Amino acid sequence: MTNRFAVVLAAGKGTRMKSSLYKVLHPVGGKPMVQHVTDQLQQCGLEKMVTVVGHGADTVKDQLGSVTDYVLQAEQLGTGHAVMQAEEQLGGKSGTTLVVCGDTPLLTAETLQNLLDAHEAKEAKATILTAHADNPAGYGRVIRDGAGKVVKIVEQKDASDEEKQVQEINTGTYCFDNAALFDTLRRVGNDNAQGEYYLPDVIEILQEQGEAVFAHQSSDFHETMGVNDRVALSQAEAHLKKRINEHWMREGVTITDPDSVYIGADVMIGSDTVLYPGTMLQGDTQVGSGCEIGPHTEIRDSRIADETVIRQSVVHRSSIGSRAAVGPFAHIRPETALEDEVRVGNFVELKKMRMGTGSKASHLSYLGDADIGAGVNVGCGSITVNYDGKNKHLTTIEDDAFIGCNSNLIAPVTVGRGSYVAAGSTITDDVPGESLAIARQRQTNKEGYTRRS
């Protein structure tokens, strides 16, 4: 099998984004554009991937990690100059090199694989991924001769009026014979409107040398789109959202209003789950089968087991077991673990805590830094008072305990198994198992106090 390499172009700052965040790090579907690109490339059986960085180099490296090697383009002098920076890593190797821009987040591994296969099947020196654009403004045009053979690629700024009418566009994604690529790049000049070294000029030089150059047209223009400003960013977001939602509906997930539901690229969902309007599933989230999520619910980096219902709530970096019910209007903060059949109701906030099987906090409570066992009832308005002004402390509530309404549990404190805390109590000492704790001022009635003489 032919060795396969990839060069990812991620050096540009992206001035049209008008942002302090480097262009390729802008998220689409909750994930940076360049991360989409490298994730898809990893599925193409590559020997090596090299990412060309420039502006924001350290930030890009932090994002992508060790899945790719890196080279620096200190001065941005065009796409041809960018690829030349990878010569030390790839020069002299035999095989196929795929060149992809880091701002093309909608490209799929399937399309890239098809491009590689077509290139290698034809034993081409270069193969261009093209697409048909109804409005090709801003894109390089693919110029063919009368027989349909690729003659050259001309950039928008250098195109004649006739060439600007061509609707087959260069997507900026290419396959090259690796040795031919770096040999030809040395012959590329910068005699153009921008004074830059264009990678597409390699195509024209190869043509002049009589080498085999082909074009492989994508079936979906939107998949190949590059993102250069916030308008294109929103368009990419919309196309990715539609693609992801349609995928999950075909996998057996019901989405009652696809226009208002946002599912991240890495989210996993089980069949027979229903997503209601306003639902956002983001990051590394997994939702089981038979769940009901929403309306107006945000879940990020969390695990939701089968047959759980979450309504009008926020869940971050937490896990929720099977047949649980959360909401409406609950806030599940990071490092919370709810076991099976837990009930968490309206205006309950949980943080860094565990709640055992069948336990419930139905309304108006804050439970943070707590370990709550199974079968526990936490009454309305109850609080684990976990912070002393300097440190956080743990509250432990053992199995089958009952916490009465408006109770304050001053951590560190333990309520023993099967114990009751009377409503309105402030608990500062441990409660033994199977006990009743009452910690409140005894009621005093002043009879006749309000009577006027």
Side-chain angles (χ1 to χ4, degrees):
M1 179 179 174
T2 302
N3 289 328
R4 290 177 171 180
F5 314 101
V7 176
V8 180
L9 305 183
K13 183 179 181 180
T15 55
R16 281 181 281 176
M17 298 295 285
K18 297 183 178 178
S19 174
S20 59
L21 182 65
Y22 300 106
K23 181 173 72 169
V24 297
L25 294 177
H26 278 266
V28 174
K31 185 162 66 174
M33 292 191 285
V34 70
Q35 186 76 66
H36 281 283
V37 172
T38 57
D39 285 353
Q40 297 303 308
L41 284 169
Q42 282 184 277
Q43 302 176 46
C44 294
L46 301 177
E47 183 79 14
K48 183 187 286 287
M49 186 191 314
V50 179
T51 298
V52 183
V53 294
H55 294 288
D58 290 340
T59 313
V60 173
K61 291 178 182 179
D62 289 343
Q63 175 63 44
L64 298 181
S66 61
V67 301
T68 175
D69 292 344
Y70 301 93
V71 293
L72 178 67
Q73 186 188 23
E75 187 177 5
Q76 278 67 62
L77 297 175
T79 52
H81 179 259
V83 176
M84 276 297 294
Q85 309 313 301
E87 184 174 21
E88 183 175 345
Q89 299 269 8
L90 300 179
K93 296 182 181 293
S94 62
T96 299
T97 295
L98 183 58
V99 179
V100 188
C101 295
D103 61 0
T104 52
L106 303 184
L107 278 173
T108 64
E110 181 181 8
T111 293
L112 295 172
Q113 185 70 54
N114 289 341
L115 175 62
L116 284 161
D117 291 345
H119 172 84
E120 291 169 356
K122 294 177 180 177
E123 299 182 346
K125 292 298 182 182
T127 304
I128 311 152
L129 182 65
T130 70
H132 175 87
D134 292 333
N135 178 12
Y139 289 92
R141 309 304 202 275
V142 177
I143 308 302
R144 297 177 182 262
D145 61 19
K149 183 180 178 182
V150 176
V151 175
K152 64 176 179 178
I153 299 170
V154 60
E155 297 296 319
Q156 167 85 18
K157 294 174 181 178
D158 301 308
S160 66
D161 290 340
E162 181 180 356
E163 289 169 336
K164 288 178 182 178
Q165 302 306 308
V166 173
Q167 291 182 294
E168 185 177 15
I169 59 98
N170 172 27
T171 67
T173 299
Y174 310 87
C175 274
F176 294 98
D177 174 89
N178 188 70
L181 170 63
F182 288 103
D183 181 63
T184 308
L185 276 170
R186 298 187 190 94
R187 302 179 182 136
V188 172
N190 64 343
D191 184 16
N192 52 61
Q194 294 294 102
E196 295 183 348
Y197 299 89
Y198 291 147
L199 181 60
D201 287 353
V202 170
I203 303 298
E204 191 169 355
I205 294 171
L206 289 172
Q207 288 283 24
E208 291 171 353
Q209 294 175 341
E211 301 288 4
V213 174
F214 295 95
H216 177 78
Q217 187 163 339
S218 169
S219 60
D220 182 2
F221 163 73
H222 298 300
E223 182 182 333
T224 68
M225 69 179 295
V227 174
N228 290 309
D229 58 26
R230 305 295 181 117
V231 174
L233 187 69
S234 70
Q235 292 169 344
E237 184 80 42
H239 289 299
L240 183 61
K241 177 169 77 73
K242 183 173 185 290
R243 178 200 293 174
I244 291 172
N245 287 358
E246 288 181 354
H247 165 78
W248 286 116
M249 287 188 282
R250 292 190 179 97
E251 292 294 312
V253 175
T254 295
I255 303 179
T256 60
D257 180 12
D259 288 341
S260 68
V261 170
Y262 293 80
I263 303 171
D266 296 325
V267 170
M268 302 298 294
I269 311 171
S271 62
D272 291 322
T273 284
V274 180
L275 306 181
Y276 291 103
T279 294
M280 298 182 68
L281 306 179
Q282 301 170 308
D284 181 20
T285 289
Q286 296 180 14
V287 177
S289 299
C291 296
E292 295 183 35
I293 310 295
H296 306 297
T297 292
E298 176 187 320
I299 302 175
R300 179 188 293 275
D301 298 326
S302 297
R303 300 289 184 270
I304 314 300
D306 298 345
E307 300 179 32
T308 284
V309 177
I310 304 177
R311 303 201 185 284
Q312 288 108 343
S313 296
V314 175
V315 181
H316 285 178
R317 287 172 44 207
S318 296
S319 64
I320 300 176
S322 299
R323 300 176 300 284
V326 174
F329 313 119
H331 186 186
I332 313 301
R333 291 170 56 191
E335 298 183 59
T336 293
L338 306 183
E339 296 181 2
D340 297 348
E341 300 178 1
V342 163
R343 299 289 184 267
V344 175
N346 51 291
F347 305 108
V348 173
E349 181 177 357
L350 309 178
K351 189 272 293 185
K352 199 177 182 181
M353 57 87 67
R354 179 190 73 91
M355 185 174 280
T357 300
S359 291
K360 56 187 177 180
S362 295
H363 32 230
L364 298 164
S365 294
Y366 169 73
L367 306 172
D369 296 282
D371 185 7
I372 298 176
V376 172
N377 181 85
V378 179
C380 174
S382 296
I383 297 171
T384 58
V385 184
N386 57 332
Y387 185 47
D388 64 8
K390 291 184 179 179
N391 300 299
K392 301 289 180 71
H393 300 282
L394 178 69
T395 296
T396 300
I397 305 174
E398 296 181 352
D399 295 353
D400 302 317
F402 183 97
I403 309 301
C405 294
N406 293 314
S407 295
N408 298 309
L409 307 180
I410 310 298
V413 71
T414 296
V415 177
R417 184 186 182 96
S419 290
Y420 277 53
V421 172
S425 294
T426 295
I427 302 299
T428 58
D429 298 315
D430 290 348
V431 179
E434 300 180 339
S435 301
L436 170 62
I438 305 172
R440 61 191 183 202
Q441 183 68 34
R442 183 174 295 278
Q443 180 176 327
T444 302
N445 294 333
K446 305 288 186 179
E447 295 186 16
Y449 182 82
T450 63
R451 188 181 303 141
R452 298 291 183 265
S453 57

